[in-house]
Amino acid sequence: MIFVTGGAGFIGANFVLNWLAQSDEAVLNYDKLTYAGNLNNLLSLRDDPRHLFVQGDICDTATLQSLFAQHRPRAIVHFAAESHVDRSIHGPAAFVTTNVNGTFSLLEAARAYWNTLEGEARTGFRFLHVSTDEVYGTLGPDDAPFSETTPYAPNSPYSASKAASDHLVRAYHHTYGLPVLTTNCSNNYGPYHFPEKLIPLIITNARAGKDLPVYGDGQQVRDWLFVTDHCAAIRRVLEAGRCGETYNVGGWNEQTNLSVVHAICDLLDELSPKASGSYRDQIRHITDRPGHDRRYAINARKIERELGWKPAETFATGLRQTVQWYLANDSWVSQVHSGDYMKWVDLQYSNKDAS
Ligand code: NAD
Ligand code: TYD
């Protein structure tokens, strides 16, 4: 079996669903169920004996060790993290606790377990750490995209905590020989994306008749990758990646935030038109994010060359599927909106009108 951390979150849940759609190898899904973890993402696996869910914290080394001893996973795929930049600006402590200390605890438990393995179980074991392109910092308009050799220069508490976790993972390979793999991926989007992030926020606010908040001038650039393409990249790296290596994963799809918001409005105008006017009328520019990274872009040639991975979806096909998924899943959205989410919206978006 494989041991997945954070498998009730956005990417982790997509990964578990895709994994079990393509393989009969069981998954132990270990997740604390923070505000971002949602068992409704995994409803279709409710009666599936291949999926075992355990609620727990990656900071809890003892529990991790006993789960490893009991279930003897052949690999760990580590998604669990605090993942939202804006939340890391309001409250960085949780990011250091989970992303740095939690990854450390998980590495310690994995190292102790791996040291008990012998023969093929030991040589075949893998620890795959899922990370972000944000560790590389920000690019100017004419800079080359991030490659695996770009120096780390994280700018937010989120990206700094992920950078620290990447360094720990690297050191566990270099010092102890733990067979690790790291992926650094660009911005994901798709089903089950928590609506605090740009794309689901715009879709859900648009449908609710609310403002569509664009930070600053909206000319910041992100590379967007459909989540199932990211899941396929992770599966491929787990299968054939070289231990100790990092692989950048991206969609070859740089977009300004404003063009992303326009594209969502245009899809909604087509698929769920308003009685009058366009969803674009709801766009509002608001105060910019402090320390906002201007541009991310990924050079994903290494994973393509070495492992033959390329994205299957274009932005047009992926965004259409995403908007259609949100239109078809109102109950998922209302359940998420009924929790603490509205408190976050108040904290983040009140009194932010651009002057
Ligand atoms: P998410 O916030 O949607 O989900 C995170 C999951 O981790 C949740 O289910 C949460 O309950 C769980 N979790 C949080 N703290 C935990 C803890 N201490 N112990 C156990 N579980 C805990 O995040 P996501 O967008 O799915 O991102 C998953 C991973 O991918 C993260 O490591 C993130 O840094 C990385 N990543 C995300 C993106 C993106 O665009 N979302 C891009 C590149 C990399
Ligand atoms: P986000 O989805 O938070 O991802 P990240 O900060 O990790 O890239 O944001 C994507 C981009 O959209 C980022 O440049 C910030 C911007 N943004 C807005 O303009 N308005 C919003 O309400 C949010 C949440 C993000």
mmCIF file with all atom_site columns, all heavy atoms in Angstrom, residues 8-11 31-34 36-37 56-58 79 81 83 98 130-131 158 162 185-186 188, ligand 1:
data_model
loop_
_atom_site.group_PDB
_atom_site.id
_atom_site.type_symbol
_atom_site.label_atom_id
_atom_site.label_alt_id
_atom_site.label_comp_id
_atom_site.label_asym_id
_atom_site.label_entity_id
_atom_site.label_seq_id
_atom_site.pdbx_PDB_ins_code
_atom_site.Cartn_x
_atom_site.Cartn_y
_atom_site.Cartn_z
_atom_site.occupancy
_atom_site.B_iso_or_equiv
_atom_site.pdbx_formal_charge
_atom_site.auth_seq_id
_atom_site.auth_comp_id
_atom_site.auth_asym_id
_atom_site.auth_atom_id
_atom_site.pdbx_PDB_model_num
ATOM   1   N N   . ALA A 1 8   ? -7.204  14.446 2.102   1.00 0.00 ? 8   ALA A N   1
ATOM   2   C CA  . ALA A 1 8   ? -8.578  14.963 2.103   1.00 0.00 ? 8   ALA A CA  1
ATOM   3   C C   . ALA A 1 8   ? -8.614  16.402 1.592   1.00 0.00 ? 8   ALA A C   1
ATOM   4   O O   . ALA A 1 8   ? -9.670  17.025 1.560   1.00 0.00 ? 8   ALA A O   1
ATOM   5   C CB  . ALA A 1 8   ? -9.175  14.890 3.507   1.00 0.00 ? 8   ALA A CB  1
ATOM   6   N N   . GLY A 1 9   ? -7.454  16.936 1.225   1.00 0.00 ? 9   GLY A N   1
ATOM   7   C CA  . GLY A 1 9   ? -7.390  18.294 0.671   1.00 0.00 ? 9   GLY A CA  1
ATOM   8   C C   . GLY A 1 9   ? -7.601  18.266 -0.840  1.00 0.00 ? 9   GLY A C   1
ATOM   9   O O   . GLY A 1 9   ? -7.942  17.221 -1.416  1.00 0.00 ? 9   GLY A O   1
ATOM   10  N N   . PHE A 1 10  ? -7.377  19.401 -1.457  1.00 0.00 ? 10  PHE A N   1
ATOM   11  C CA  . PHE A 1 10  ? -7.676  19.548 -2.892  1.00 0.00 ? 10  PHE A CA  1
ATOM   12  C C   . PHE A 1 10  ? -6.856  18.567 -3.752  1.00 0.00 ? 10  PHE A C   1
ATOM   13  O O   . PHE A 1 10  ? -7.404  17.666 -4.404  1.00 0.00 ? 10  PHE A O   1
ATOM   14  C CB  . PHE A 1 10  ? -7.435  21.010 -3.281  1.00 0.00 ? 10  PHE A CB  1
ATOM   15  C CG  . PHE A 1 10  ? -7.276  21.279 -4.751  1.00 0.00 ? 10  PHE A CG  1
ATOM   16  C CD1 . PHE A 1 10  ? -8.184  20.760 -5.682  1.00 0.00 ? 10  PHE A CD1 1
ATOM   17  C CD2 . PHE A 1 10  ? -6.218  22.064 -5.210  1.00 0.00 ? 10  PHE A CD2 1
ATOM   18  C CE1 . PHE A 1 10  ? -8.026  21.027 -7.046  1.00 0.00 ? 10  PHE A CE1 1
ATOM   19  C CE2 . PHE A 1 10  ? -6.067  22.338 -6.558  1.00 0.00 ? 10  PHE A CE2 1
ATOM   20  C CZ  . PHE A 1 10  ? -6.961  21.808 -7.480  1.00 0.00 ? 10  PHE A CZ  1
ATOM   21  N N   . ILE A 1 11  ? -5.542  18.708 -3.740  1.00 0.00 ? 11  ILE A N   1
ATOM   22  C CA  . ILE A 1 11  ? -4.739  17.870 -4.651  1.00 0.00 ? 11  ILE A CA  1
ATOM   23  C C   . ILE A 1 11  ? -4.675  16.435 -4.128  1.00 0.00 ? 11  ILE A C   1
ATOM   24  O O   . ILE A 1 11  ? -4.768  15.470 -4.895  1.00 0.00 ? 11  ILE A O   1
ATOM   25  C CB  . ILE A 1 11  ? -3.315  18.447 -4.839  1.00 0.00 ? 11  ILE A CB  1
ATOM   26  C CG1 . ILE A 1 11  ? -3.386  19.901 -5.305  1.00 0.00 ? 11  ILE A CG1 1
ATOM   27  C CG2 . ILE A 1 11  ? -2.539  17.613 -5.861  1.00 0.00 ? 11  ILE A CG2 1
ATOM   28  C CD1 . ILE A 1 11  ? -2.036  20.609 -5.376  1.00 0.00 ? 11  ILE A CD1 1
ATOM   29  N N   . ASP A 1 31  ? -4.797  12.363 7.439   1.00 0.00 ? 31  ASP A N   1
ATOM   30  C CA  . ASP A 1 31  ? -5.097  13.793 7.283   1.00 0.00 ? 31  ASP A CA  1
ATOM   31  C C   . ASP A 1 31  ? -5.665  14.325 8.593   1.00 0.00 ? 31  ASP A C   1
ATOM   32  O O   . ASP A 1 31  ? -6.508  13.683 9.220   1.00 0.00 ? 31  ASP A O   1
ATOM   33  C CB  . ASP A 1 31  ? -6.107  13.967 6.131   1.00 0.00 ? 31  ASP A CB  1
ATOM   34  C CG  . ASP A 1 31  ? -6.256  15.409 5.687   1.00 0.00 ? 31  ASP A CG  1
ATOM   35  O OD1 . ASP A 1 31  ? -6.642  16.246 6.534   1.00 0.00 ? 31  ASP A OD1 1
ATOM   36  O OD2 . ASP A 1 31  ? -5.995  15.704 4.511   1.00 0.00 ? 31  ASP A OD2 1
ATOM   37  N N   . LYS A 1 32  ? -5.233  15.517 8.968   1.00 0.00 ? 32  LYS A N   1
ATOM   38  C CA  . LYS A 1 32  ? -5.698  16.128 10.226  1.00 0.00 ? 32  LYS A CA  1
ATOM   39  C C   . LYS A 1 32  ? -7.128  16.661 10.115  1.00 0.00 ? 32  LYS A C   1
ATOM   40  O O   . LYS A 1 32  ? -7.778  16.910 11.118  1.00 0.00 ? 32  LYS A O   1
ATOM   41  C CB  . LYS A 1 32  ? -4.731  17.279 10.564  1.00 0.00 ? 32  LYS A CB  1
ATOM   42  C CG  . LYS A 1 32  ? -4.966  17.966 11.878  1.00 0.00 ? 32  LYS A CG  1
ATOM   43  C CD  . LYS A 1 32  ? -3.878  19.035 12.094  1.00 0.00 ? 32  LYS A CD  1
ATOM   44  C CE  . LYS A 1 32  ? -4.130  19.838 13.346  1.00 0.00 ? 32  LYS A CE  1
ATOM   45  N NZ  . LYS A 1 32  ? -3.118  20.899 13.526  1.00 0.00 ? 32  LYS A NZ  1
ATOM   46  N N   . LEU A 1 33  ? -7.591  16.855 8.885   1.00 0.00 ? 33  LEU A N   1
ATOM   47  C CA  . LEU A 1 33  ? -8.894  17.503 8.640   1.00 0.00 ? 33  LEU A CA  1
ATOM   48  C C   . LEU A 1 33  ? -8.921  18.906 9.245   1.00 0.00 ? 33  LEU A C   1
ATOM   49  O O   . LEU A 1 33  ? -9.723  19.213 10.126  1.00 0.00 ? 33  LEU A O   1
ATOM   50  C CB  . LEU A 1 33  ? -10.073 16.645 9.131   1.00 0.00 ? 33  LEU A CB  1
ATOM   51  C CG  . LEU A 1 33  ? -10.246 15.293 8.432   1.00 0.00 ? 33  LEU A CG  1
ATOM   52  C CD1 . LEU A 1 33  ? -11.451 14.534 8.990   1.00 0.00 ? 33  LEU A CD1 1
ATOM   53  C CD2 . LEU A 1 33  ? -10.398 15.459 6.912   1.00 0.00 ? 33  LEU A CD2 1
ATOM   54  N N   . THR A 1 34  ? -8.001  19.739 8.786   1.00 0.00 ? 34  THR A N   1
ATOM   55  C CA  . THR A 1 34  ? -8.069  21.166 9.094   1.00 0.00 ? 34  THR A CA  1
ATOM   56  C C   . THR A 1 34  ? -9.233  21.743 8.296   1.00 0.00 ? 34  THR A C   1
ATOM   57  O O   . THR A 1 34  ? -9.944  21.004 7.598   1.00 0.00 ? 34  THR A O   1
ATOM   58  C CB  . THR A 1 34  ? -6.779  21.894 8.650   1.00 0.00 ? 34  THR A CB  1
ATOM   59  O OG1 . THR A 1 34  ? -6.719  21.848 7.214   1.00 0.00 ? 34  THR A OG1 1
ATOM   60  C CG2 . THR A 1 34  ? -5.530  21.244 9.251   1.00 0.00 ? 34  THR A CG2 1
ATOM   61  N N   . ALA A 1 36  ? -9.202  22.904 5.575   1.00 0.00 ? 36  ALA A N   1
ATOM   62  C CA  . ALA A 1 36  ? -9.031  22.593 4.147   1.00 0.00 ? 36  ALA A CA  1
ATOM   63  C C   . ALA A 1 36  ? -9.278  21.121 3.826   1.00 0.00 ? 36  ALA A C   1
ATOM   64  O O   . ALA A 1 36  ? -9.401  20.751 2.663   1.00 0.00 ? 36  ALA A O   1
ATOM   65  C CB  . ALA A 1 36  ? -7.620  22.977 3.692   1.00 0.00 ? 36  ALA A CB  1
ATOM   66  N N   . GLY A 1 37  ? -9.335  20.282 4.854   1.00 0.00 ? 37  GLY A N   1
ATOM   67  C CA  . GLY A 1 37  ? -9.562  18.859 4.623   1.00 0.00 ? 37  GLY A CA  1
ATOM   68  C C   . GLY A 1 37  ? -11.053 18.571 4.648   1.00 0.00 ? 37  GLY A C   1
ATOM   69  O O   . GLY A 1 37  ? -11.783 19.095 5.492   1.00 0.00 ? 37  GLY A O   1
ATOM   70  N N   . GLY A 1 56  ? -5.302  12.321 11.631  1.00 0.00 ? 56  GLY A N   1
ATOM   71  C CA  . GLY A 1 56  ? -4.132  12.514 12.485  1.00 0.00 ? 56  GLY A CA  1
ATOM   72  C C   . GLY A 1 56  ? -3.250  13.624 11.959  1.00 0.00 ? 56  GLY A C   1
ATOM   73  O O   . GLY A 1 56  ? -3.428  14.112 10.839  1.00 0.00 ? 56  GLY A O   1
ATOM   74  N N   . ASP A 1 57  ? -2.292  14.009 12.803  1.00 0.00 ? 57  ASP A N   1
ATOM   75  C CA  . ASP A 1 57  ? -1.427  15.154 12.528  1.00 0.00 ? 57  ASP A CA  1
ATOM   76  C C   . ASP A 1 57  ? -0.040  14.661 12.116  1.00 0.00 ? 57  ASP A C   1
ATOM   77  O O   . ASP A 1 57  ? 0.500   13.750 12.773  1.00 0.00 ? 57  ASP A O   1
ATOM   78  C CB  . ASP A 1 57  ? -1.341  15.970 13.838  1.00 0.00 ? 57  ASP A CB  1
ATOM   79  C CG  . ASP A 1 57  ? -0.723  17.341 13.639  1.00 0.00 ? 57  ASP A CG  1
ATOM   80  O OD1 . ASP A 1 57  ? 0.180   17.481 12.799  1.00 0.00 ? 57  ASP A OD1 1
ATOM   81  O OD2 . ASP A 1 57  ? -1.157  18.269 14.345  1.00 0.00 ? 57  ASP A OD2 1
ATOM   82  N N   . ILE A 1 58  ? 0.545   15.253 11.093  1.00 0.00 ? 58  ILE A N   1
ATOM   83  C CA  . ILE A 1 58  ? 1.897   14.812 10.693  1.00 0.00 ? 58  ILE A CA  1
ATOM   84  C C   . ILE A 1 58  ? 2.955   15.196 11.729  1.00 0.00 ? 58  ILE A C   1
ATOM   85  O O   . ILE A 1 58  ? 4.082   14.732 11.651  1.00 0.00 ? 58  ILE A O   1
ATOM   86  C CB  . ILE A 1 58  ? 2.319   15.339 9.293   1.00 0.00 ? 58  ILE A CB  1
ATOM   87  C CG1 . ILE A 1 58  ? 2.177   16.859 9.194   1.00 0.00 ? 58  ILE A CG1 1
ATOM   88  C CG2 . ILE A 1 58  ? 1.543   14.635 8.192   1.00 0.00 ? 58  ILE A CG2 1
ATOM   89  C CD1 . ILE A 1 58  ? 2.889   17.471 7.989   1.00 0.00 ? 58  ILE A CD1 1
ATOM   90  N N   . PHE A 1 79  ? 1.452   15.254 0.862   1.00 0.00 ? 79  PHE A N   1
ATOM   91  C CA  . PHE A 1 79  ? 0.748   16.469 0.436   1.00 0.00 ? 79  PHE A CA  1
ATOM   92  C C   . PHE A 1 79  ? 0.442   17.394 1.614   1.00 0.00 ? 79  PHE A C   1
ATOM   93  O O   . PHE A 1 79  ? 0.228   18.590 1.397   1.00 0.00 ? 79  PHE A O   1
ATOM   94  C CB  . PHE A 1 79  ? -0.621  16.110 -0.181  1.00 0.00 ? 79  PHE A CB  1
ATOM   95  C CG  . PHE A 1 79  ? -0.584  15.347 -1.463  1.00 0.00 ? 79  PHE A CG  1
ATOM   96  C CD1 . PHE A 1 79  ? -0.654  13.960 -1.476  1.00 0.00 ? 79  PHE A CD1 1
ATOM   97  C CD2 . PHE A 1 79  ? -0.491  16.009 -2.679  1.00 0.00 ? 79  PHE A CD2 1
ATOM   98  C CE1 . PHE A 1 79  ? -0.638  13.248 -2.665  1.00 0.00 ? 79  PHE A CE1 1
ATOM   99  C CE2 . PHE A 1 79  ? -0.476  15.309 -3.883  1.00 0.00 ? 79  PHE A CE2 1
ATOM   100 C CZ  . PHE A 1 79  ? -0.550  13.917 -3.869  1.00 0.00 ? 79  PHE A CZ  1
ATOM   101 N N   . ALA A 1 81  ? -0.171  20.019 4.198   1.00 0.00 ? 81  ALA A N   1
ATOM   102 C CA  . ALA A 1 81  ? 0.465   21.329 4.399   1.00 0.00 ? 81  ALA A CA  1
ATOM   103 C C   . ALA A 1 81  ? -0.613  22.361 4.678   1.00 0.00 ? 81  ALA A C   1
ATOM   104 O O   . ALA A 1 81  ? -1.786  22.162 4.359   1.00 0.00 ? 81  ALA A O   1
ATOM   105 C CB  . ALA A 1 81  ? 1.240   21.739 3.149   1.00 0.00 ? 81  ALA A CB  1
ATOM   106 N N   . SER A 1 83  ? -1.602  25.690 3.009   1.00 0.00 ? 83  SER A N   1
ATOM   107 C CA  . SER A 1 83  ? -1.286  25.938 1.597   1.00 0.00 ? 83  SER A CA  1
ATOM   108 C C   . SER A 1 83  ? -1.668  27.321 1.058   1.00 0.00 ? 83  SER A C   1
ATOM   109 O O   . SER A 1 83  ? -1.409  27.595 -0.111  1.00 0.00 ? 83  SER A O   1
ATOM   110 C CB  . SER A 1 83  ? -1.977  24.864 0.742   1.00 0.00 ? 83  SER A CB  1
ATOM   111 O OG  . SER A 1 83  ? -3.378  25.053 0.763   1.00 0.00 ? 83  SER A OG  1
ATOM   112 N N   . THR A 1 98  ? 3.154   23.077 10.702  1.00 0.00 ? 98  THR A N   1
ATOM   113 C CA  . THR A 1 98  ? 2.829   21.920 9.846   1.00 0.00 ? 98  THR A CA  1
ATOM   114 C C   . THR A 1 98  ? 3.877   21.711 8.749   1.00 0.00 ? 98  THR A C   1
ATOM   115 O O   . THR A 1 98  ? 4.366   20.596 8.552   1.00 0.00 ? 98  THR A O   1
ATOM   116 C CB  . THR A 1 98  ? 1.420   22.093 9.227   1.00 0.00 ? 98  THR A CB  1
ATOM   117 O OG1 . THR A 1 98  ? 0.462   21.804 10.254  1.00 0.00 ? 98  THR A OG1 1
ATOM   118 C CG2 . THR A 1 98  ? 1.187   21.156 8.064   1.00 0.00 ? 98  THR A CG2 1
ATOM   119 N N   . VAL A 1 130 ? 5.642   16.618 -2.021  1.00 0.00 ? 130 VAL A N   1
ATOM   120 C CA  . VAL A 1 130 ? 4.947   17.461 -3.002  1.00 0.00 ? 130 VAL A CA  1
ATOM   121 C C   . VAL A 1 130 ? 5.166   18.925 -2.627  1.00 0.00 ? 130 VAL A C   1
ATOM   122 O O   . VAL A 1 130 ? 4.723   19.374 -1.565  1.00 0.00 ? 130 VAL A O   1
ATOM   123 C CB  . VAL A 1 130 ? 3.439   17.131 -3.008  1.00 0.00 ? 130 VAL A CB  1
ATOM   124 C CG1 . VAL A 1 130 ? 2.714   18.003 -4.021  1.00 0.00 ? 130 VAL A CG1 1
ATOM   125 C CG2 . VAL A 1 130 ? 3.215   15.650 -3.310  1.00 0.00 ? 130 VAL A CG2 1
ATOM   126 N N   . SER A 1 131 ? 5.854   19.655 -3.485  1.00 0.00 ? 131 SER A N   1
ATOM   127 C CA  . SER A 1 131 ? 6.124   21.056 -3.171  1.00 0.00 ? 131 SER A CA  1
ATOM   128 C C   . SER A 1 131 ? 5.703   21.976 -4.316  1.00 0.00 ? 131 SER A C   1
ATOM   129 O O   . SER A 1 131 ? 5.030   21.563 -5.254  1.00 0.00 ? 131 SER A O   1
ATOM   130 C CB  . SER A 1 131 ? 7.601   21.231 -2.788  1.00 0.00 ? 131 SER A CB  1
ATOM   131 O OG  . SER A 1 131 ? 7.780   22.512 -2.209  1.00 0.00 ? 131 SER A OG  1
ATOM   132 N N   . TYR A 1 158 ? 4.323   31.263 3.587   1.00 0.00 ? 158 TYR A N   1
ATOM   133 C CA  . TYR A 1 158 ? 3.988   29.959 2.986   1.00 0.00 ? 158 TYR A CA  1
ATOM   134 C C   . TYR A 1 158 ? 5.176   29.404 2.207   1.00 0.00 ? 158 TYR A C   1
ATOM   135 O O   . TYR A 1 158 ? 5.631   28.276 2.456   1.00 0.00 ? 158 TYR A O   1
ATOM   136 C CB  . TYR A 1 158 ? 2.760   30.085 2.069   1.00 0.00 ? 158 TYR A CB  1
ATOM   137 C CG  . TYR A 1 158 ? 2.595   28.904 1.129   1.00 0.00 ? 158 TYR A CG  1
ATOM   138 C CD1 . TYR A 1 158 ? 2.326   27.630 1.625   1.00 0.00 ? 158 TYR A CD1 1
ATOM   139 C CD2 . TYR A 1 158 ? 2.722   29.060 -0.253  1.00 0.00 ? 158 TYR A CD2 1
ATOM   140 C CE1 . TYR A 1 158 ? 2.181   26.538 0.766   1.00 0.00 ? 158 TYR A CE1 1
ATOM   141 C CE2 . TYR A 1 158 ? 2.584   27.984 -1.117  1.00 0.00 ? 158 TYR A CE2 1
ATOM   142 C CZ  . TYR A 1 158 ? 2.315   26.724 -0.602  1.00 0.00 ? 158 TYR A CZ  1
ATOM   143 O OH  . TYR A 1 158 ? 2.188   25.642 -1.450  1.00 0.00 ? 158 TYR A OH  1
ATOM   144 N N   . LYS A 1 162 ? 7.583   26.086 2.893   1.00 0.00 ? 162 LYS A N   1
ATOM   145 C CA  . LYS A 1 162 ? 7.729   24.985 1.935   1.00 0.00 ? 162 LYS A CA  1
ATOM   146 C C   . LYS A 1 162 ? 9.205   24.831 1.540   1.00 0.00 ? 162 LYS A C   1
ATOM   147 O O   . LYS A 1 162 ? 9.699   23.707 1.390   1.00 0.00 ? 162 LYS A O   1
ATOM   148 C CB  . LYS A 1 162 ? 6.868   25.228 0.684   1.00 0.00 ? 162 LYS A CB  1
ATOM   149 C CG  . LYS A 1 162 ? 5.378   25.117 0.892   1.00 0.00 ? 162 LYS A CG  1
ATOM   150 C CD  . LYS A 1 162 ? 4.893   23.737 1.304   1.00 0.00 ? 162 LYS A CD  1
ATOM   151 C CE  . LYS A 1 162 ? 4.988   22.708 0.194   1.00 0.00 ? 162 LYS A CE  1
ATOM   152 N NZ  . LYS A 1 162 ? 4.365   21.415 0.599   1.00 0.00 ? 162 LYS A NZ  1
ATOM   153 N N   . CYS A 1 185 ? 5.616   22.125 -8.185  1.00 0.00 ? 185 CYS A N   1
ATOM   154 C CA  . CYS A 1 185 ? 4.572   22.323 -9.199  1.00 0.00 ? 185 CYS A CA  1
ATOM   155 C C   . CYS A 1 185 ? 4.021   23.745 -9.161  1.00 0.00 ? 185 CYS A C   1
ATOM   156 O O   . CYS A 1 185 ? 4.039   24.410 -8.130  1.00 0.00 ? 185 CYS A O   1
ATOM   157 C CB  . CYS A 1 185 ? 3.445   21.324 -8.968  1.00 0.00 ? 185 CYS A CB  1
ATOM   158 S SG  . CYS A 1 185 ? 2.204   21.321 -10.268 1.00 0.00 ? 185 CYS A SG  1
ATOM   159 N N   . SER A 1 186 ? 3.500   24.160 -10.309 1.00 0.00 ? 186 SER A N   1
ATOM   160 C CA  . SER A 1 186 ? 2.865   25.475 -10.415 1.00 0.00 ? 186 SER A CA  1
ATOM   161 C C   . SER A 1 186 ? 1.428   25.423 -9.875  1.00 0.00 ? 186 SER A C   1
ATOM   162 O O   . SER A 1 186 ? 0.998   24.412 -9.333  1.00 0.00 ? 186 SER A O   1
ATOM   163 C CB  . SER A 1 186 ? 2.893   25.921 -11.876 1.00 0.00 ? 186 SER A CB  1
ATOM   164 O OG  . SER A 1 186 ? 2.196   24.979 -12.658 1.00 0.00 ? 186 SER A OG  1
ATOM   165 N N   . ASN A 1 188 ? -2.255  24.807 -9.283  1.00 0.00 ? 188 ASN A N   1
ATOM   166 C CA  . ASN A 1 188 ? -3.239  23.816 -9.738  1.00 0.00 ? 188 ASN A CA  1
ATOM   167 C C   . ASN A 1 188 ? -4.638  24.415 -9.741  1.00 0.00 ? 188 ASN A C   1
ATOM   168 O O   . ASN A 1 188 ? -4.913  25.367 -8.998  1.00 0.00 ? 188 ASN A O   1
ATOM   169 C CB  . ASN A 1 188 ? -3.274  22.632 -8.774  1.00 0.00 ? 188 ASN A CB  1
ATOM   170 C CG  . ASN A 1 188 ? -2.098  21.688 -8.910  1.00 0.00 ? 188 ASN A CG  1
ATOM   171 O OD1 . ASN A 1 188 ? -2.244  20.496 -8.712  1.00 0.00 ? 188 ASN A OD1 1
ATOM   172 N ND2 . ASN A 1 188 ? -0.920  22.188 -9.233  1.00 0.00 ? 188 ASN A ND2 1
HETATM 173 P P1  . NAD B 2 .   ? -5.046  21.952 0.757   1.00 0.00 ? 1   NAD B P1  1
HETATM 174 O O1  . NAD B 2 .   ? -4.868  23.097 1.701   1.00 0.00 ? 1   NAD B O1  1
HETATM 175 O O2  . NAD B 2 .   ? -6.263  21.893 -0.103  1.00 0.00 ? 1   NAD B O2  1
HETATM 176 O O3  . NAD B 2 .   ? -5.011  20.570 1.576   1.00 0.00 ? 1   NAD B O3  1
HETATM 177 C C1  . NAD B 2 .   ? -4.080  20.326 2.586   1.00 0.00 ? 1   NAD B C1  1
HETATM 178 C C2  . NAD B 2 .   ? -4.516  19.066 3.327   1.00 0.00 ? 1   NAD B C2  1
HETATM 179 O O4  . NAD B 2 .   ? -3.543  18.804 4.356   1.00 0.00 ? 1   NAD B O4  1
HETATM 180 C C3  . NAD B 2 .   ? -5.866  19.209 4.030   1.00 0.00 ? 1   NAD B C3  1
HETATM 181 O O5  . NAD B 2 .   ? -6.644  18.056 3.804   1.00 0.00 ? 1   NAD B O5  1
HETATM 182 C C4  . NAD B 2 .   ? -5.507  19.343 5.504   1.00 0.00 ? 1   NAD B C4  1
HETATM 183 O O6  . NAD B 2 .   ? -6.496  18.833 6.382   1.00 0.00 ? 1   NAD B O6  1
HETATM 184 C C5  . NAD B 2 .   ? -4.214  18.536 5.567   1.00 0.00 ? 1   NAD B C5  1
HETATM 185 N N1  . NAD B 2 .   ? -3.346  18.961 6.687   1.00 0.00 ? 1   NAD B N1  1
HETATM 186 C C6  . NAD B 2 .   ? -2.989  20.234 7.016   1.00 0.00 ? 1   NAD B C6  1
HETATM 187 N N2  . NAD B 2 .   ? -2.202  20.228 8.109   1.00 0.00 ? 1   NAD B N2  1
HETATM 188 C C7  . NAD B 2 .   ? -2.036  18.918 8.455   1.00 0.00 ? 1   NAD B C7  1
HETATM 189 C C8  . NAD B 2 .   ? -1.314  18.265 9.478   1.00 0.00 ? 1   NAD B C8  1
HETATM 190 N N3  . NAD B 2 .   ? -0.606  18.963 10.388  1.00 0.00 ? 1   NAD B N3  1
HETATM 191 N N4  . NAD B 2 .   ? -1.339  16.919 9.542   1.00 0.00 ? 1   NAD B N4  1
HETATM 192 C C9  . NAD B 2 .   ? -2.072  16.193 8.635   1.00 0.00 ? 1   NAD B C9  1
HETATM 193 N N5  . NAD B 2 .   ? -2.782  16.764 7.657   1.00 0.00 ? 1   NAD B N5  1
HETATM 194 C C10 . NAD B 2 .   ? -2.764  18.106 7.560   1.00 0.00 ? 1   NAD B C10 1
HETATM 195 O O7  . NAD B 2 .   ? -3.715  21.927 -0.103  1.00 0.00 ? 1   NAD B O7  1
HETATM 196 P P2  . NAD B 2 .   ? -3.500  21.496 -1.630  1.00 0.00 ? 1   NAD B P2  1
HETATM 197 O O8  . NAD B 2 .   ? -3.764  22.664 -2.499  1.00 0.00 ? 1   NAD B O8  1
HETATM 198 O O9  . NAD B 2 .   ? -4.211  20.223 -1.881  1.00 0.00 ? 1   NAD B O9  1
HETATM 199 O O10 . NAD B 2 .   ? -1.930  21.255 -1.641  1.00 0.00 ? 1   NAD B O10 1
HETATM 200 C C11 . NAD B 2 .   ? -1.381  19.981 -1.325  1.00 0.00 ? 1   NAD B C11 1
HETATM 201 C C12 . NAD B 2 .   ? 0.128   20.056 -1.393  1.00 0.00 ? 1   NAD B C12 1
HETATM 202 O O11 . NAD B 2 .   ? 0.540   20.481 -2.695  1.00 0.00 ? 1   NAD B O11 1
HETATM 203 C C13 . NAD B 2 .   ? 0.730   21.083 -0.416  1.00 0.00 ? 1   NAD B C13 1
HETATM 204 O O12 . NAD B 2 .   ? 1.914   20.524 0.109   1.00 0.00 ? 1   NAD B O12 1
HETATM 205 C C14 . NAD B 2 .   ? 1.039   22.292 -1.290  1.00 0.00 ? 1   NAD B C14 1
HETATM 206 O O13 . NAD B 2 .   ? 2.124   23.026 -0.775  1.00 0.00 ? 1   NAD B O13 1
HETATM 207 C C15 . NAD B 2 .   ? 1.389   21.605 -2.599  1.00 0.00 ? 1   NAD B C15 1
HETATM 208 N N6  . NAD B 2 .   ? 1.138   22.408 -3.815  1.00 0.00 ? 1   NAD B N6  1
HETATM 209 C C16 . NAD B 2 .   ? -0.094  23.000 -3.997  1.00 0.00 ? 1   NAD B C16 1
HETATM 210 C C17 . NAD B 2 .   ? -0.323  23.712 -5.184  1.00 0.00 ? 1   NAD B C17 1
HETATM 211 C C18 . NAD B 2 .   ? -1.670  24.345 -5.449  1.00 0.00 ? 1   NAD B C18 1
HETATM 212 O O14 . NAD B 2 .   ? -1.817  25.054 -6.454  1.00 0.00 ? 1   NAD B O14 1
HETATM 213 N N7  . NAD B 2 .   ? -2.697  24.100 -4.635  1.00 0.00 ? 1   NAD B N7  1
HETATM 214 C C19 . NAD B 2 .   ? 0.685   23.829 -6.143  1.00 0.00 ? 1   NAD B C19 1
HETATM 215 C C20 . NAD B 2 .   ? 1.912   23.208 -5.905  1.00 0.00 ? 1   NAD B C20 1
HETATM 216 C C21 . NAD B 2 .   ? 2.124   22.481 -4.743  1.00 0.00 ? 1   NAD B C21 1
#
